[in-house]
Amino acid sequence: MNRELVFIVYVSDIQKSVDFYRDLLEVETTFETPRYVTFGLAEGVALALWTGESSALAGEPVRTSEVCLNVTAEQVQETYDAWVAKGVRVIEEPHEDVFGTTFVVADPDGNRVRVAPID
């Protein structure tokens, strides 16, 4: 069966968000339309940004999901330092959790982006 798993993040400004994720994750887009853009992350896995549901971002929406980047345990602090140098908004500084050292930043719309060690 031919499949692709796509994680969709609602954004209000497509170009601002594309620039943010391209720089943050150091990946290039694989598909672009004026309101929907994808980044191929791995075989059969993509991250999509979509303005079609940006109204869901009005006010202070409850954040019940997040994008998570898993890196080696040694790379968690390195990634934090690199992202802070890029000027990202930090929501949670590096701390220990059940799965190891982790931290969370926000994209331009306040969507959560976590970094955690690979299991």
Side-chain angles (χ1 to χ4, degrees):
M1 182 181 310
N2 213 359
R3 291 185 183 180
E4 183 173 59
L5 181 61
V6 179
F7 297 93
I8 299 173
V9 176
Y10 299 157
V11 300
S12 59
D13 182 324
I14 196 73
Q15 193 57 56
K16 185 176 184 179
S17 295
V18 165
D19 293 344
F20 175 84
Y21 282 97
R22 179 185 288 135
D23 182 50
L24 193 72
L25 302 177
E26 299 176 354
V27 294
E28 291 300 321
T29 60
T30 53
F31 179 80
E32 293 187 36
T33 70
R35 297 185 323 130
Y36 182 85
V37 175
T38 62
F39 295 92
L41 302 178
E43 182 68 32
V45 181
L47 173 66
L49 307 177
W50 187 32
T51 61
E53 292 293 331
S54 63
S55 61
L57 299 170
E60 288 294 322
V62 175
R63 305 296 177 176
T64 59
S65 63
E66 58 191 28
V67 172
C68 182
L69 173 67
N70 291 117
V71 298
T72 65
E74 297 77 28
Q75 292 173 309
V76 173
Q77 187 64 46
E78 293 171 14
T79 304
Y80 176 79
D81 294 340
W83 288 10
V84 167
K86 292 179 182 201
V88 300
R89 181 167 61 100
V90 176
I91 296 175
E92 296 177 17
E93 293 187 0
H95 62 279
E96 290 300 310
D97 212 318
V98 296
F99 41 78
T101 304
T102 187
F103 69 90
V104 179
V105 301
D107 77 0
D109 287 296
N111 295 305
R112 298 169 58 93
V113 181
R114 178 180 299 277
V115 172
I118 296 170
D119 293 336

